[in-house]
Structure formats: structure tokens, C-alpha cells
């Protein structure tokens, strides 16, 4: 009997590796320290060589991108400036030009590095798409995912991954690349990439990032889960926005398993481009998250099952030299086919992660029915870290290639097992009192019905069982503050009464994309008055989930008697004013499972703050110091009732002046809302109101 033929040998994957010292020429002009520096590339290269990984890869040479390929995503003006900025004609003005951008430096090596970075990602993507390589890693800098059509920002000059994606789709149809998945796991939102493909169904863009309710860089509302694409591209933009730092392996794995992987299976991409930032790694000084090298390896392993394993990794962020080197090395080993062990039986995602994932699925389920199914129940979850842990410095150079160190860093974080009503983000603020925990909820955005909470078991030496129903719990601060009246002065969309009533009663008015949850006390205001105040009106930020693309209104906190801004004043209770603060700063959350509305369990402004603010004219609310409307101004009194408004802190005004934050004109729908408020309030006619808004939007600070 003939012997069976031996199995053919398994061919080792051909993994491309591109590294070029010329991209180290981009550096700070005077040698000052900066997190995005040439040593990032060198440290990765040293690690890959020391681990014997570089020699197992196919070495690739960097290649400059042609202008016509960069022009697929960037304006001619931007390309011209970036290509010429390193020339001698800009020696005297280069630093001044850099300061006009948001978080950018430029030197004599920047132009060459930028075109090499863009061209190198094209080079490796083309070879993988053509089948010459199984996969590839492009060690490039400057990074790219923040760069927008006509603007450098966030350490990024050209959007390298977007340039490569457009090249494959539009310049090389012979390669058969018709659908591309871009996975951006950098800790910061890939704002530039999102905008470049927002209406393009050929590109599925997935970004998982810290959002922190809009306060984490790039601090724009379009990083919210509500931004899912438009027109033909609706549903092809997926944002998973973390609410806080310290997210780690388990959180990212949950996002993969319950959002990215199900959608990717349906989308069936021809190639995967990874915007591979490693600033969510444990120990990164900017990211504040906790992914281990093995965590990145597992995330990448889960992607290898798609697109025939054709994956291109392009370096984005990552600023701890040891963690970025270890993480890239772990990913390279995955692409080379090495086996690794990942076993974290004690790790759980945060409660907030579970809620964010549910919100993302709810937003996208009409576009991707595969997301319509229920999430697993009775999942063990972690409570949000304490503020001291969230804001602690994360600049440690220590890092580990296994999970043990990560487990050690979160050992103090309690693990919770939730059944019944999902646990709120505000569990972190619960007060232990006589063995009970307090969480405040409404059953919906417009109703005040209370729901019982089933058992909550808190492990790690904190055995607390919640057995009381919500309706039994004390709401003393609300009762106290409901007896105090204030005037709430609106200078923005709430000048229009139907819009204002959304913050009282819930729902949404004409022009709004998403509804308000409303206040706990839905009583109408006791009075309405108009006046002008000596503060400058301005429009800042570039988009919000509620109003879409365009700036929203702020008052400069500084008094200037040469300025005059209109405010519509509503007489409400101090309890309602706190609910306005909660909603304006996105602190009221909807439980994705049961539709309950969860409010913070303590006020931001109480009687003592009213006394302080009447003397000091303003109070910057420390618990929400990074939120857009965290500064409460005292504008005087009317009939001995204090007049309060909320705006940005004075520090944000300086950031607007420096260009770090954007001044942006309002969208047509947002401006129309302000116009209706001014006209129906009989302050001016429609033309006058439009001129008032346009003048405020056009003036520089």
C-alpha cells in the first residue's frame, strides 16, 4: 500500500518592514524635548534587531510620495507649504507658521520626512495588495491620522494612511482592492481620516479612542459614537469613544468582539490598513491607557482572519520608548506567524466600556443588523477608576511584555458583577452610607418613573449588596436646591424657547440631531427676561453630536465694556440649573440596556458656590474642568435673584488665541436657532440677528 504523500511545507509569511533614517530628520527646530521625536523610530528598530525580528522580515526602502497621490486627500496649497517649509526661504518664518497650527513643529528636515512617510505607506500597501508580501509594517514619522485636507495638526503633516487608501482605490484598480478597512487604535481620534472618507462606502473607518466627553485631544465632538458617516457612507464610520483613561486589554478586546469583528465579517474588506498608534499602551505619557504588548498582539491576531491576512501597519503615535518598541515587536511576531499565550482570567472591561459598546451598537444597528443582538448578560465589569488614578502621571519608562504588570496596575480597581439594570458610570461617585449605595435614574428621557436595581456584588474585599429600590433612595440635595431660584442666561441656542424647553422636558427641537434627556424637575420657567452683557460672543470647536459640523457659542469670561452680547434669561431652580450643567457637559447618560437616564448623584453648584460666585464673578468647576462648559459666570442679579450662565474657562480662550482650539462659524441649522431666538424674543429682525451672529463668528480674538 502506497505511503500517503507528505503534507506540503507551510510557507512562512513574507512580512515587509520599512525603516529609513531620513524620517528622523524631522525634529524640533532648536533641539527642545518633544514626545514625537526621532528616537521613537530608533528605539523600535533597536528592539526589532535585538529580538531577531528585523532579519526575518523583507527590508523595504522608503519612497517619496508624488504630489498627485497626496492631492487625493490634501489641498494643493497644503502640499505646497509642507513641501517647501524646510527650504531656506522659510528660515525666518518657519517657527511662526508652525505656531499657527495645532500642536505642530517644523524644521529643515520636515518636508522630506513628510513626503517619505506618505510615500512609504503607499509603497508597503501596494506590495501587500499585489500579493508580493503577506503583510507589512511601515515605521514612519511624522504620523498622519490628525492631518486634515488643508491643515497639519496633532504632530501630523500628511495623512499617510488616507493617501495610501486612496492610491489603492483610485490609482491601482488592477490590484482588485475595492473595499478597505482602516483600523485606528491610536489613543486619539483619527479626525483627519474620518473626514476624508466620511461619505465613502468603500472605506470602513473604525476608531477606538479616548473621548472623555469631548475633552480629550483633538477635543472635537465628531469623535462621538453618533458620527457614523453620511450619504452613501452612512454606517461606514465607527467611533468607539472611551469615557476615561486606564482602559486596557479587556476593554479593547470587548470593542473588537462586539463591534469591529462582526461588522468586518459582513463588510469583507480586501485589505486592512492599521493606523497603528501605540499611545494607548501601558506607560505612555500622553495616553493614560493600559494596553500591554500581548494585548496589541491579540487585537492584531483577531484581524488576521479577514482580507486573507493582508494587513498594513503604519506607525502613528506612541511616546513611551520602551512600550512602543515592545508593542511593535509583539505585532511583528504575530505577522510572522509566531505563537503567543494570552491568558487574563482576572481581567474585566470597565462598566463604562460595556455601556459605550452598547451605545455604538444601538447607533449602528440599522446600518449593520448584525449588531442588533443583545450583548451578553451577567458580565463581570470594573468600576471606573478613582479621579486620583485617572489623572495620575503616566510617564513611567517601565513596561512589561506580559500581562502580570498590567494586572498589578489595576489591582486596586474593584470588579463588579452586574445583573438587572446596567451599572452607571456614576458608580464611581456612589457614597457608602449604612451599607447602601445610591444611583439616581429616570426610566426615560422624558419620564420620571423609578426602576428597581437588582443585586450588585462588589469584589476585592468590598462586599456591598444593593437591595433598595431607586425610589427609596434619598435625593436631599435636589429637594434643597429646588427651593432656590436663579436666572439662567443663555447666549446660544437656548435663546430660542423650544430649544430651551428640551433641557427641561427632554426631546429635541428643529435642527437638533440628538434629543436632550431633560431635567428631573420638568416645571416650566417662572419668568423670562432679555438683557445685554459686556462679554464677547464667539463660536468655537468644529462640530458637535447635536448640531453637526460647525462651531457653537461661548462667552469670553473676561468683562469688556466695549462688547455687547444678548442673553435670554429664564428663571429656574438651582436644581434645574445643575441638570442644565449636567446635560451641557454630557454628564447625563442613557443606560443602553434599559433606556434609563442616569444623572450624577451630587450637584456641581450649591448654595455655597452661589455665595462664592457672587463675590468672585466666576467659578471653574474642578470636577469637570476639561469640559466645554465648565465655567459658571455671575452676570449680576435681577430682582435679587442671581444671574448665571455657563461658558468655557479662561484657559480655553488662550487656546483659541494660540490656534490650539479652533474658532469656527456655526452651522446653518445652529445659526438659524439663534436667529429664531433673537427674533421671537423681539430683540431684532432676522437680518439684524444674522448680521449679529456673522459678525461674532468672523472676528478674531
Amino acid at each position: 500500500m502506497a505511503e500517503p504523500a507528505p503534507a506540503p511545507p507551510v510557507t512562512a509569511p513574507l512580512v515587509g518592514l520599512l525603516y529609513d533614517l531620513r524620517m528622523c530628520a524631522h525634529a524640533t527646530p532648536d533641539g527642545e524635548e518633544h514626545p514625537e521625536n526621532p528616537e521613537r523610530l530608533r528605539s523600535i528598530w533597536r528592539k526589532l534587531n535585538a529580538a531577531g525580528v528585523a532579519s526575518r522580515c523583507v527590508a523595504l526602502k522608503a519612497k517619496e510620495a508624488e504630489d498627485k497621490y497626496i492631492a487625493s486627500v490634501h489641498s494643493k496649497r497644503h502640499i505646497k507649504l509642507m513641501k517647501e517649509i524646510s527650504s531656506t526661504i522659510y528660515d525666518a518664518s518657519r517657527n511662526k507658521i508652525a505656531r499657527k497650527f495645532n500642536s505642530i513643529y517644523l524644521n529643515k528636515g520636515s518636508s522630506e520626512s513628510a513626503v517619505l512617510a506618505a510615500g512609504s505607506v503607499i509603497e508597503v500597501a501596494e506590495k501587500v495588495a499585489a500579493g508580493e508580501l503577506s503583510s507589512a509594517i511601515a515605521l514612519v514619522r511624522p504620523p498622519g491620522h490628525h492631518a486634515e485636507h488643508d491643515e497639519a495638526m496633532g504632530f501630523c503633516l500628511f495623512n499617510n494612511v488616507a493617501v495610501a487608501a486612496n492610491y489603492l482605490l483610485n490609482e491601482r484598480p488592477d490590484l482588485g482592492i475595492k473595499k478597505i478597512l482602516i483600523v485606528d487604535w491610536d489613543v486619539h481620534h483619527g479626525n483627519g481620516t474620518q473626514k476624508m472618507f466620511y461619505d465613502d462606502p468603500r472605506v470602513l473607518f473604525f476608531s477606538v479612542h479616548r473621548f472623555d466627553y469631548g475633552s480629550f485631544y483633538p477635543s472635537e465632538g465628531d469623535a462621538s459614537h453618533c458620527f457614523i458617516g453620511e450619504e452613501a457612507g452612512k454606517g461606514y464610520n465607527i467611533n468607539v469613544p472611551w469615557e476615561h483613561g486606564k482602559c486596557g486589554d479587556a476593554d479593547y478586546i470587548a470593542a473588537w468582539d462586539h463591534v469591529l469583528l462582526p461588522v468586518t465579517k459582513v463588510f469583507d474588506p480586501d485589505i486592512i490598513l492599521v493606523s497603528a498608534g501605540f499611545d494607548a499602551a501601558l506607560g505612555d505619557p500622553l495616553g493614560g491607557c493600559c494596553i500591554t504588548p500581548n494585548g496589541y498582539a491579540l487585537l492584531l491576531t483577531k484581524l488576521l482572519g479577514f482580507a486573507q491576512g493582508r494587513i498594513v501597519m503604519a506607525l502613528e503615535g506612541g511616546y513611551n520608548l520602551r512600550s512602543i518598541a515592545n508593542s511593535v515587536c509583539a505585532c511583528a511576531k504575530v505577522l510572522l506567524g509566531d505563537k503567543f499565550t494570552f491568558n487574563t482570567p482576572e481581567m474585566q472591561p470597565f462598566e463604562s466600556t460595556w455601556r459605550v459598546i452598547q451605545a455604538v451598537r444601538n447607533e449602528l444597528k440599522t446600518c449593520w443588523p448584525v449588531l442588533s443582538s443583545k450583548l451578553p448578560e451577567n458580565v463581570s465589569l470594573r468600576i471606573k477608576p478613582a479621579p486620583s488614578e485617572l489623572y495620575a502621571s503616566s510617564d513611567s519608562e517601565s513596561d512589561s511584555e506580559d500581562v502580570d504588570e498590567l494586572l498589578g496596575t489595576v489591582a486596586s480597581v474593584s470588579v463588579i458583577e452586574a445583573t438587572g439594570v446596567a451599572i452607571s458610570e456614576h458608580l464611581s461617585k456612589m457614597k457608602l452610607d449604612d451599607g447602601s449605595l445610591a444611583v439616581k435614574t429616570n426610566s426615560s428621557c422624558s419620564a420620571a418613573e423609578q426602576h428597581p436595581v437588582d443585586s450588585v456584588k462588589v469584589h476585592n474585599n468590598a462586599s456591598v449588596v444593593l437591595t433598595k429600590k431607586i425610589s427609596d433612595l434619598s435625593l436631599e440635595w435636589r429637594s434643597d436646591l429646588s427651593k432656590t431660584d436663579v436666572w439662567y442666561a443663555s447666549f446660544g441656542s437656548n435663546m430660542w424657547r423650544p430649544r430651551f424647553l428640551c433641557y427641561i422636558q427632554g426631546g429635541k427641537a428643529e435642527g437638533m440631531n440628538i434629543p436632550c434627556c431633560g431635567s428631573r424637575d420638568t416645571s416650566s420657567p417662572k419668568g423670562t427676561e432679555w438683557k445685554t452683557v459686556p462679554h464677547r460672543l464667539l463660536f468655537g470647536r468644529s462640530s458637535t453630536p447635536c448640531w453637526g459640523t460647525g462651531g457653537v457659542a461661548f462667552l469670553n469670561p473676561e468683562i469688556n465694556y466695549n462688547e455687547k452680547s444678548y442673553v435670554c434669561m429664564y428663571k429656574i431652580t438651582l436644581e434645574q440649573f445643575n441638570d442644565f450643567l449636567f446635560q451641557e457637559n454630557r454628564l447625563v447618560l442613557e443606560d443602553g440596556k434599559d433606556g434609563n437616564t442616569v444623572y450624577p448623584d451630587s450637584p456641581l453648584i450649591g448654595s455655597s458656590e452661589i455665595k462664592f460666585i457672587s463675590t468672585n464673578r466666576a467659578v471653574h468647576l474642578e470636577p469637570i474642568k476639561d469640559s466645554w462648559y465648565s465655567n459658571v459666570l455671575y452676570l449680576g442679579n435681577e430682582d435679587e435673584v442671581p444671574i448665571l450662565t455657563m461658558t468655557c474657562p479662561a484657559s480655553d480662550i488662550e487656546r483659541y488665541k494660540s490656534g490650539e482650539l479652533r474658532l469656527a462659524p456655526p452651522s446653518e441649522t445652529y445659526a438659524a436657532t439663534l436667529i429664531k431666538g433673537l427674533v421671537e424674543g423681539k430683540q431684532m429682525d432676522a437680518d439684524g440677528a444674522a448680521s449679529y451672529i456673522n459678525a461674532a463668528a468672523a472676528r478674531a480674538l
Side-chain angles (χ1 to χ4, degrees):
M1 186 172 183
E3 291 288 331
V10 177
T11 304
L14 283 177
V15 179
L17 178 62
L18 190 147
Y19 170 76
D20 194 313
L21 271 173
R22 288 179 291 171
M23 283 180 278
C24 293
H26 174 63
T28 53
D30 299 315
E32 58 266 40
E33 292 185 3
H34 194 280
E36 204 295 284
N37 61 71
E39 192 59 25
R40 297 173 62 239
L41 290 191
R42 298 189 188 108
S43 65
I44 296 171
W45 186 245
R46 287 194 297 268
K47 176 68 178 180
L48 295 180
N49 277 285
V53 169
S55 61
R56 298 168 59 196
C57 297
V58 178
L60 301 174
K61 293 183 179 180
K63 184 178 179 180
E64 291 190 358
E66 296 182 38
D67 287 5
K68 63 180 180 180
Y69 301 143
I70 303 176
S72 66
V73 299
H74 290 293
S75 69
K76 291 182 179 179
R77 186 192 74 88
H78 179 65
I79 296 169
K80 184 175 186 295
L81 177 61
M82 290 299 104
K83 291 194 69 175
E84 296 180 355
I85 195 67
S86 296
S87 64
T88 56
I89 61 173
Y90 284 101
D91 282 352
S93 59
R94 189 179 300 118
N95 290 348
K96 183 178 180 180
I97 291 171
R99 287 193 294 269
K100 292 181 180 179
F101 294 113
N102 181 342
S103 304
I104 289 293
Y105 66 76
L106 299 164
N107 77 333
K108 292 184 177 182
S110 298
S111 295
E112 182 182 34
S113 295
V115 294
L116 283 171
S120 295
V121 181
I122 290 177
E123 179 75 0
V124 299
E126 185 176 38
K127 290 185 179 299
V128 172
E132 297 176 32
L133 298 169
S134 307
S135 57
I137 300 173
L139 300 178
V140 296
R141 59 176 298 275
H145 70 149
H146 291 310
E148 300 195 345
H149 176 68
D150 197 41
E151 184 175 359
M153 67 176 289
F155 310 162
C156 303
L157 304 187
F158 292 137
N159 196 312
N160 309 317
V161 166
V163 170
N166 267 287
Y167 176 82
L168 294 179
L169 290 169
N170 301 320
E171 300 295 333
R172 292 297 309 272
D174 56 301
L175 296 177
I177 302 298
K178 298 180 180 179
K179 293 184 291 182
I180 296 177
L181 168 63
I182 298 178
V183 176
D184 189 333
W185 69 38
D186 189 282
V187 79
H188 302 96
H189 178 233
N191 56 289
T193 313
Q194 170 173 301
K195 291 175 182 176
M196 290 166 180
F197 299 108
Y198 202 61
D199 60 356
D200 192 340
R202 299 175 301 171
V203 176
L204 175 62
F205 177 65
F206 174 89
S207 180
V208 55
H209 49 269
R210 278 189 66 178
F211 184 53
D212 295 24
Y213 304 102
S215 65
F216 198 76
Y217 190 89
S219 306
E220 301 293 355
D222 59 3
S224 164
H225 71 283
C226 301
F227 285 77
I228 63 171
E230 62 186 7
E231 298 177 354
K234 185 176 181 181
Y236 293 87
N237 192 88
I238 302 177
N239 288 322
V240 178
W242 300 145
E243 296 176 356
H244 52 74
K246 299 298 180 183
C247 294
D249 296 350
D251 303 283
Y252 282 78
I253 291 165
W256 256 234
D257 289 349
H258 300 296
V259 179
L260 176 58
L261 300 186
V263 173
T264 300
K265 185 175 182 180
V266 177
F267 180 65
D268 191 22
D270 299 312
I271 195 170
I272 300 173
L273 307 183
V274 181
S275 273
F278 293 94
D279 40 7
L282 181 66
D284 190 89
L286 300 188
C289 286
C290 299
I291 305 182
T292 65
N294 270 6
Y296 282 115
L298 183 58
L299 298 179
L300 188 59
T301 299
K302 287 174 175 284
L303 294 177
L304 280 173
F306 303 98
Q308 301 174 24
R310 294 192 287 190
I311 294 178
V312 173
M313 297 182 65
L315 187 66
E316 298 283 2
Y319 309 102
N320 178 309
L321 300 183
R322 185 170 179 179
S323 66
I324 190 175
N326 289 341
S327 299
V328 172
C329 187
C331 289
K333 289 179 179 180
V334 166
L335 296 180
L336 287 165
D338 292 3
K339 303 299 181 183
F340 71 99
T341 301
F342 188 93
N343 183 22
T344 58
E346 297 181 37
M347 289 191 60
Q348 294 84 13
F350 283 112
E351 174 277 328
S352 61
T353 293
W354 212 242
R355 181 166 21 79
V356 165
I357 287 172
Q358 183 63 72
V360 172
R361 288 166 62 96
N362 285 343
E363 191 72 33
L364 288 162
K365 63 186 179 183
T366 56
C367 303
W368 302 100
V370 69
L371 300 180
S372 298
S373 60
K374 286 187 176 182
L375 285 173
E377 298 183 355
N378 301 329
V379 176
S380 292
L381 303 169
R382 286 186 290 158
I383 300 174
K384 175 181 174 180
S388 59
E389 189 178 357
L390 282 173
Y391 296 113
S393 174
S394 180
D395 58 1
S396 171
E397 287 292 328
S398 63
D399 192 12
S400 173
E401 296 201 28
D402 55 40
V403 184
D404 294 339
E405 181 171 331
L406 176 61
L407 289 173
T409 65
V410 297
S412 62
V413 180
S414 296
V415 177
I416 64 175
E417 179 183 329
T419 58
V421 176
I423 307 303
S424 138
E425 180 262 355
H426 298 290
L427 276 170
S428 62
K429 299 179 182 177
M430 284 200 256
K431 296 177 174 60
L432 290 171
D433 181 19
D434 297 328
S436 65
L437 295 173
V439 183
K440 285 68 175 177
T441 68
N442 272 353
S443 62
S444 71
C445 285
S446 59
E449 178 187 358
Q450 304 290 347
H451 283 261
V453 172
D454 294 329
S455 61
V456 177
K457 301 174 183 177
V458 181
H459 304 288
N460 288 4
N461 301 319
S463 299
V464 181
V465 179
L466 175 61
T467 56
K468 289 188 176 184
K469 292 185 178 180
I470 295 301
S471 55
D472 297 331
L473 299 172
S474 171
L475 298 176
E476 290 183 5
W477 74 266
R478 288 188 172 277
S479 176
D480 292 342
L481 299 189
S482 69
K483 302 169 186 175
T484 301
D485 288 339
V486 297
W487 290 99
Y488 161 59
S490 173
F491 47 83
S493 60
N494 283 336
M495 291 191 295
W496 188 40
R497 187 179 178 90
R499 166 67 176 102
F500 162 81
L501 289 175
C502 295
Y503 269 170
I504 293 286
Q505 300 166 355
K508 62 181 182 178
E510 182 182 355
M512 295 170 61
N513 294 324
I514 56 177
C516 296
C517 288
S519 302
R520 292 289 294 270
D521 177 0
T522 59
S523 303
S524 296
K526 301 170 185 176
T528 305
E529 300 284 348
W530 284 83
K531 69 178 297 182
T532 59
V533 294
H535 291 267
R536 161 73 192 278
L537 177 68
L538 61 131
F539 294 91
R541 309 285 180 164
S542 63
S543 62
T544 63
C546 184
W547 300 103
T549 302
V552 289
F554 297 93
L555 279 189
N556 188 334
E558 183 179 350
I559 293 175
N560 184 341
Y561 290 102
N562 294 319
E563 300 284 354
K564 183 176 76 171
S565 296
Y566 289 85
V567 295
C568 181
M569 304 192 307
Y570 301 95
K571 195 174 185 179
I572 60 176
T573 69
L574 188 52
E575 178 198 3
Q576 289 175 315
F577 184 78
N578 273 279
D579 281 342
F580 276 41
L581 277 169
F582 297 154
Q583 293 176 78
E584 196 72 78
N585 291 290
R586 302 182 191 176
L587 300 178
V588 181
L589 305 171
E590 184 170 325
D591 175 327
K593 181 178 178 182
D594 291 328
N596 291 349
T597 303
V598 186
Y599 296 81
D601 60 1
S602 57
L604 290 167
I605 292 285
S607 300
S608 59
E609 286 81 10
I610 292 291
K611 294 177 182 177
F612 175 88
I613 199 173
S614 63
T615 302
N616 295 275
R617 315 296 296 184
V619 59
H620 188 197
L621 302 171
E622 185 67 20
I624 57 167
K625 62 181 180 180
D626 295 323
S627 297
W628 290 9
Y629 292 92
S630 59
N631 197 19
V632 177
L633 299 185
Y634 174 78
L635 301 176
N637 66 76
E638 183 80 14
D639 299 329
E640 299 184 353
V641 175
I643 305 169
L644 306 179
T645 194
M646 59 193 79
T647 186
C648 61
S651 59
D652 277 6
I653 298 298
E654 297 305 313
R655 294 170 70 194
Y656 282 119
K657 290 178 179 178
S658 69
E660 182 182 350
L661 293 179
R662 296 185 188 180
L663 293 171
S667 65
E668 289 185 10
T669 52
Y670 184 75
T673 304
L674 273 66
I675 291 170
K676 284 186 281 191
L678 290 163
V679 172
E680 293 178 15
K682 299 181 179 179
Q683 300 305 298
M684 53 185 73
D685 60 21
D687 290 340
S691 296
Y692 167 72
I693 293 165
N694 291 335
R699 291 167 56 201
L701 282 172

